[in-house]
């Protein structure tokens, strides 16, 4: 009843404060994560080209594994925020602990699989004879940090569900700093070479996991939540995660198809595509930060039984997504003369790059809405629909993208196909949002 007396302007301000409070620290944490690989690359790059090539292959394998299991953060955020909205912090933390236990189980299984199959995985990437030994060393050592990486994902989801995105930011910054120092000390000070870089990353990852566990355990003790694994809770976390896993794999397939098509066009096109994809990914971090805020806020409203509050928050976040997309697109166009020379001095690559970059700029408002609605539906626990929608998107995108070189299209045409992919996502997500079927009230979906 109190909400009905709140003016629309005051309501917008309240939503804006919540979105900014959650999204800004989330953006910082998201940007800090890829900096781990950048630091490793900077340190190892001075050892030699074979070492850097080995690192690139091993890091690609590790980052793929982490991106596939990002559902540990998303599903945990939705489950915990619902219980927070329902006023049951004990159940919220207990569900979060089950998500962390699931991460530990999956991480251990991945280590067991990776260690014996590491040579085969590296051969699959077509590593050269000189790079293979370094890739093998880095992958085997770094795989020991996979359980920590997955537990960090799940614990991040717990804190986001508890409406706390500041702690993940601090932990990410601390982990980045520790990783940078350890890399220099172990690679050069201890003379361990590429193995030192891998060990530095593993130590930093386990340090981050330890900090998260301390925070979550303190919360569990404060609210008298059990720390023991519960089979039913772990199964519930896994069931919620499977549709999001399908969604993520479908999205990864889209990106892999786009890269494969660009590679067929020639060296200049694949080089330009990699630059465009890097910029697209950077802007995605900014939009994903709003989506993360959406996950936490929507889950809380639904858990509290406030359907109208969830609808109003969704509308406001869509407005934020549109405005952010427009701003990012304009900034990309305005500042392109400044940052493009940082990536390449090759005029052929530059000529291929510029038209594709303009396509990306035009697409950003669409991307803004897509990311926000993705976050809203994740926060609502609507994973099965997200999985089906992404499979439809993949089915539309794949033949169009594969036809681009056959029809004589260049890199810009490929990125128009990527824009089509985002448009299909927009339609599927918008239809779901308008239907209201995602609004399921209560502490569990």
């Amino acid at each position: 009843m109190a909400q009905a007396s709140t003016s629309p302007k005051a309501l917008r301000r309240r939503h804006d404060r919540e979105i900014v409070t959650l999204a800004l620290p989330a953006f910082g944490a998201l940007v800090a994560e890829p900096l781990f690989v950048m630091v490793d690359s900077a340190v190892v790059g001075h050892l030699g080209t074979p070492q850097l090539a080995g690192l690139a292959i091993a890091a690609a394998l590790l980052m793929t594994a982490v991106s596939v299991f990002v559902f540990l953060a998303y599903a945990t955020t939705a489950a915990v925020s619902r219980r927070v909205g329902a006023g049951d912090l004990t159940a919220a933390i207990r569900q979060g602990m089950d998500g962390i236990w699931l991460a530990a189980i999956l991480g251990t299984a991945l280590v067991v699989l990776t260690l014996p199959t590491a040579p085969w995985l590296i051969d699959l990437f077509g590593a050269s004879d000189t790079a293979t030994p370094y890739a093998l060393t880095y992958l085997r050592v770094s795989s020991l940090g996979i359980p920590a990486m997955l537990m960090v994902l799940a614990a991040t989801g717990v804190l986001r569900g508890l409406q706390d995105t500041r702690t993940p930011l601090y932990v990410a910054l601390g982990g980045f700093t520790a990783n940078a120092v350890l890399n220099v000390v172990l690679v050069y000070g201890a003379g361990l070479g590429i193995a030192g870089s891998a060990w530095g990353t593993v130590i930093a990852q386990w340090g981050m996991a330890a900090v998260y566990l301390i925070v979550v355990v303190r919360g569990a003790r404060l609210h008298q939540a059990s720390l023991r694994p519960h089979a039913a809770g772990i199964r519930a976390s896994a069931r919620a995660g499977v549709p999001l896993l399908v969604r993520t794999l479908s999205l990864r397939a889209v990106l892999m198809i786009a890269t494969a098509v660009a590679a067929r066009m020639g060296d200049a096109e694949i080089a330009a595509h990699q630059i465009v994809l890097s910029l697209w990914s950077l802007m995605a971090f900014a939009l994903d930060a709003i989506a993360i805020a959406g996950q936490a806020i929507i889950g809380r409203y639904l858990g509290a039984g406030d359907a109208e509050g969830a609808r109003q928050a969704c509308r406001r976040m869509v407005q934020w997504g549109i405005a952010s997309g427009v701003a990012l697109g304009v900034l990309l166009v305005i500042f392109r003369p400044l940052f493009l020379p940082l990536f390449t001095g090759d005029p052929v690559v530059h000529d291929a790059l510029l038209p594709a970059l303009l396509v990306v700029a035009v697409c950003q408002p669409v991307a803004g809405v897509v990311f926000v609605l993705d976050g809203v539906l994740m926060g609502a626990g609507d994973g099965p629909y997200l999985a089906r929608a992404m499979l439809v998107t993949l089915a539309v995108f794949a033949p169009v993208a594969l036809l681009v070189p056959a029809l004589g299209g260049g890199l810009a045409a490929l990125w128009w196909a990527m824009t089509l992919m985002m448009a299909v996502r927009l339609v599927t997500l918008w239809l779901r949002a308008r239907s209201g079927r995602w609004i399921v009230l209560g502490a569990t979906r």
Side-chain angles (χ1 to χ4, degrees):
M1 293 298 177
Q3 194 177 54
S5 63
T6 304
S7 70
K9 188 174 181 180
L11 196 59
R12 284 197 301 271
R13 282 200 300 266
R14 190 181 74 190
H15 286 316
D16 290 347
R17 282 195 300 270
E18 275 196 312
I19 292 168
V20 171
T21 299
L22 291 171
L24 281 180
F27 174 68
L30 287 169
V31 171
E33 290 172 9
L35 291 178
F36 267 71
V37 177
M38 289 180 62
V39 167
D40 288 8
S41 300
V43 173
V44 171
H46 291 285
L47 294 175
T49 300
Q51 289 91 332
L52 186 58
L55 169 66
I57 293 166
L61 286 165
L62 291 166
M63 293 305 294
T64 298
V66 174
S67 66
V68 165
F69 289 99
V70 74
F71 71 83
L72 289 165
Y74 295 157
T76 306
T77 298
V80 171
S81 60
R82 273 185 175 269
R83 288 163 174 81
V84 169
D88 193 348
L89 287 176
T90 300
I93 294 174
R94 186 169 63 242
Q95 182 61 53
M97 281 303 306
D98 288 333
I100 293 173
W101 277 109
L102 175 62
I105 293 168
L106 291 173
T108 302
L110 278 175
V111 174
V112 172
L113 287 172
T114 302
L115 288 175
T117 61
W120 177 80
L121 291 170
I122 291 166
D123 285 342
L124 194 64
F125 268 68
S128 67
D129 291 340
T130 54
T132 292
Y134 299 111
L136 189 59
T137 297
Y138 192 91
L139 181 58
R140 281 180 166 161
V141 174
S142 292
S143 68
L144 302 177
I146 291 176
M149 294 163 72
L150 299 193
M151 285 192 287
V152 165
L153 284 176
T156 301
V158 175
L159 295 181
R160 288 173 181 170
L162 294 170
Q163 318 295 295
D164 176 9
T165 56
R166 289 182 179 273
T167 300
L169 171 60
Y170 300 147
V171 175
L173 292 175
F176 166 73
T177 303
N179 180 56
V181 173
L182 286 167
N183 261 261
V184 173
V185 170
L186 295 177
V187 171
Y188 298 113
L192 296 179
I194 194 170
S197 176
W199 279 115
T201 301
V202 168
I203 294 168
Q205 287 164 344
W206 277 105
M208 291 170 66
V211 172
Y212 273 121
L213 287 174
I214 290 170
V215 172
V216 175
V217 167
R218 282 179 179 172
R221 288 176 176 169
L222 179 64
H223 296 284
Q224 298 180 327
S226 173
L227 297 174
R228 296 194 309 273
H230 294 82
I234 293 173
R235 283 196 300 270
S237 295
R239 280 195 302 271
V242 168
L244 295 179
L245 175 61
V246 172
R247 168 203 166 273
T248 300
L249 289 173
S250 300
L251 182 57
R252 295 294 302 180
V254 164
L255 298 178
M256 288 174 65
I257 289 170
T259 300
V261 170
R264 293 180 185 178
M265 295 178 180
D267 289 347
E269 285 76 9
I270 186 61
H273 174 75
Q274 184 58 39
I275 295 170
V276 176
L277 188 61
S278 298
L279 293 167
W280 186 78
S281 299
L282 179 62
M283 290 185 292
F285 282 132
L287 299 175
D288 203 26
I290 303 173
I292 287 169
Q295 293 171 33
I297 293 169
I298 293 297
R300 193 190 71 229
Y301 273 116
L302 296 178
D306 188 354
E308 184 55 31
R311 289 191 187 94
Q312 291 172 350
C314 176
R315 283 194 291 269
R316 189 57 179 162
M317 280 183 285
V318 167
Q319 293 168 358
W320 268 82
I322 295 171
S324 300
V326 170
L328 287 170
V330 170
L331 289 173
L332 188 64
V333 172
I334 291 175
F335 290 106
R336 72 186 188 282
L338 297 179
F339 61 74
L340 287 186
L342 299 175
F343 288 101
T344 180
D346 188 334
V348 178
V349 175
H350 189 275
D351 290 344
L353 172 63
L354 190 56
L357 204 63
L358 295 176
V359 174
V360 171
V362 170
C363 177
Q364 285 309 295
V366 174
V369 179
V370 167
F371 273 80
V372 165
L373 291 179
D374 209 36
V376 166
L377 297 184
M378 281 185 191
D382 204 9
Y385 181 83
L386 289 172
R388 293 192 298 271
M390 199 60 224
L391 287 172
V392 169
T393 302
L394 175 60
V396 173
F397 169 78
V400 173
L402 293 173
L403 279 172
V404 167
L407 297 176
L411 189 63
L414 175 61
W415 275 93
W416 277 120
M418 289 286 285
T419 301
L420 171 66
M421 178 270 294
M422 295 300 289
V424 174
R425 292 187 71 191
L426 175 63
V427 170
T428 57
L429 297 175
W430 184 262
L431 289 173
R432 187 64 166 183
R434 285 194 63 185
S435 74
R437 294 176 190 170
W438 57 278
I439 299 176
V440 179
L441 305 178
T444 57
R445 183 177 174 87

